[in-house]
Amino acid sequence: MRIEKKDGFAFEGKAQGFRRTMLAMGLLVALGANTAQAQSTTSTIFGRAPVQAGETVAIRNSSGLARTINVDSQGRYSAPQLPIGTYSVTLMQDGKVVQTRDNVVLQVGIAAEISFSGEGGAASGAENAKQLSSVNVSANALPPIDVSSVDSRTVLTADQLAKLPLAHSAEAAALLAPATNLGAGGAKSTTGQPLISFGGSSSTENAYYLNGFNTTDPNLSQGGITLPYGSIEQEEVYTGGYSAQYGRSDGGVLNMIGKSGTNDWHFGGQYLYQPSSTLASQNSTYYANGLPPSPVAGRLYDPRNQNSSWSSVYDLYVGGPLIKDRLFLFASAEMTHTEGNTVNSVSSGTDSHYKNTQPKWYAKVNWNINDSNLLELTGASEKSEGSGSVYKYDYNTLSDSDFKSYANNTKHGGDMWSAKFTSYITDKLTLTALYGSMKTRSYSQSPAYDPSLTYIGNYTDQNPALNGGTPITNNQNVNQITNPGMNFVSTNLRVALTYSLGNHTITAGIDNLRTAARNQEELTSGPGYQWIYGYVTPANQPLFPSLGVGAPASYPNGASGYYAYKYIFNQGGNLFSSERAEYIEDQWQFNDRLLFSIGLRDDGFTNTNASASAYMRQTKPQWAPRLGFSWDVFGDSSFKVFGNAGRYYLGSPIAPGDPANGYVATSQFYTYSGIAADGTPTGLTQMSPPVSPNGAYGQTPDPRTMTATSLKAMDQDEFMLGFSKTAGPNWVYGAKLTRRMLRHVIDDWCDVQAVVDKSASEGITDVNTATCYYINPGQANTFAVQDPSGTFHSVTLSNADMQFPRAVRRYYALETFLEHPFDGKWYGKVSYAFSRSYGNSEGQGQSDIRAIGGTQNEDWDFPELMAYANGPQGNDHTNVIKAYGYYAVTPELLLSANLNLTSGGPKYCLGYYGPGQTDPDGYGSNYHWCNGQPSPPGATGRLPWMKQLDLGIHYRPAFADHKLGFSVDVFNVFNGQAPLNLSPDYNGNSAGTPNPLYGTPLVLQPPRYVRIGVTYDY
């Protein structure tokens, strides 16, 4: 159930909780050659050497880290948990240098095999090192294939990020991976970046990591804190198959590794500018299904071609040694400044002139305490701060008129810090411990807020006979106010031990994440209520019969079908969540060609209200097995076959718990005979008392009555099988099959009468009936029912009792790629993905109504809403073609390109229920019926393809020693503006009332723009 308005009417819902127990964690013996870890900040160097007495391997990086590893009796050595960077690896015998491999570049989670021949003599890493990664190879080396990993990932280096024409965000880089797409419905992060869908999952089912710390937004999982773009050393885009060490995502992972200082001082900066003169005009949108009663400017709905903006980005960095070989610093700051105007739709009647700043900073201190102990301290911040002015807008002359109000001052985002300690206790035993904290906030307040003015909603539905044909409103621009002190504090603790012996690597550890949401108050603006107008035809059509709201024609002044209602919303209170996990994993190098990854993880989740009472709990063991393999078919890293099977659990974010502290969300309906100068209705005749579809009248629910006691956490099973193979000296190609199956969904269910009836059949009188429940839809659920004496009873409803279909979300995909690793001249990669994401549940989100999860979803609230819900889900894109790369024309001039061709998602037509077009649940035009006909997702067709080509040119003149650079990037060269989301509601406020917005684009592909840049690196 949503806490938002649908055609003016407010719907609301509840939350619930989880249970779990701890997995006793122990350290087992064994360790082997190489280990690849997802979302880690480290990697491994391993290899072989001729068996000789007194042999050791000395490893040293550009930050002074030095390790000496013994060579075992079989000639093997392994150095795990090494920070990423550039290394030299030297074979020593009795303290003398035998062979050296220089310029060994480690990538996150990708092991590098450095083996030594029986013949002495120094050699370069490019000629002899077997670097298991997809970049950083020489022209004479075989194209590398990573045979050390069993998962699916794309690793992007700082060099690639700097060369490719990409928007400067972690999400834009993630879109290069084959299984990623823009999230359906246009969802954005808390700081305004478009969110990404991985493998058909909702865009809020992902995890964000920064230097090993989980920075995912704890409130609604809308992105996370990311790095200044120029401070990303490597970004790992993880699309599946990750190890037991990580969880809490059934979508994908964005893992960012920030830069570190080295023994050489470096500093530099960058300036980027996007002028408004090069921004192409956005397409305006028009009513696609008739006109409203009082059209403002004919068919025009949103004159987007009147929008304009410009932006600039300032970026500075410095890094180097504070104490050579021991203590290092890297620090950076980035400021994005954007100004412009956005003409809102005719239903708003305003033009917003805005200013937005996005400050970011990042700092990291590396301390090599000694050769066995390392300490890393990280701090980072990402925020978005906005302000502006709102003007009334004349849609006929397409110009501003009078000043209306100041826009809200907004502040979103936050700060984080973390400390990571690594101790190489012995060659075979390594301890890692990370602890950090993140504080984020969501603030929106008007600098000139007038509490005496009432917010007027849907004023285009005013009776034209009473407003002279021109809608009447006032200067209230705020419909809801929030506590300015609202904030979220998260802490993340990770501790792991890794032990090596023979062919095994055993890692065991804990992964705990806690969040406190404080000062969560939200309430209706003005005098504590809004006035919202509506219109229904025929006028004798009852508005919400299930709530006792009749037809306007039955009341004075209602014969024309016009009405208004007073809407009140108020909720607040602190919320808390605890997510704990224990895991154990074995990386087993079965032989020289075959690697197995075997892991087991136990996740547990508990969410509590302001009284510390759990409303959602999953603490019984939730075992998540992980099994993968990598087969180096020929033993020379030229042909790899890999596979993976695993289960992944996802905890509930904070936001669905808002109803746990009680809330008010009521609407009271009236007819009216006049409209005052401030837009409020006059001459009122009451049609109903305050009503709420879910009984939200302010009572604090007993936490036991919010959640099915049998609730299972949301979880998904995933299976992958693929291969990578070289094709001659300069190419790599491959393919991968993926299958994902959502096992349990969590959503709110509001058909509480079904619980009352089932309880009554068992002789129990249910006294807690004014609530929704969180359930696992599509299966049996058990509820705690309280009788008049206060005693609780367990009442189980089968899926047949709840009248639901089985909950389904299935995803399958075939991905193929062809890659040309950089050879000093050019790099290129092209991929094609054929996929389907289908079922009757999108997961945490519901893109047809642009809901991002929690109580905003309408799916599963009532059985009628799920009739004919099965079909392609919002993030289903059957065909996706991607190609990107760069070409060095000369040492000074570089050309780059990025192409994305994505087939459109399904269209939706939502109307009134059944052939008779009724409204059994009070949800209006939100059933999977269209004009009396069944209308599953995609029944009315598909959205068009999104086609985008980005081009770049970079020039680094020799006269400035290539330290000074100039760039021009053109995004969306051909100015494609495909609609990404259409209004789905076929009807207005009754079955006989057409919705003029049906089929109107609500989200469009951004238009063409140009970015100019100047960079200096010293």
Side-chain angles (χ1 to χ4, degrees), residues 497-514:
L497 281 170
T498 301
Y499 189 68
S500 305
L501 182 65
N503 293 329
H504 295 267
T505 300
I506 300 290
T507 301
I510 60 173
D511 174 13
N512 297 339
L513 183 65
R514 297 176 182 272

Side-chain angles (χ1 to χ4, degrees), residues 795-814:
V795 174
T796 299
L797 272 71
S798 68
N799 197 41
D801 293 331
M802 302 175 79
Q803 302 178 56
F804 278 136
R806 185 170 60 94
V808 176
R809 186 181 77 188
R810 298 286 188 265
Y811 173 82
Y812 61 83
L814 170 63

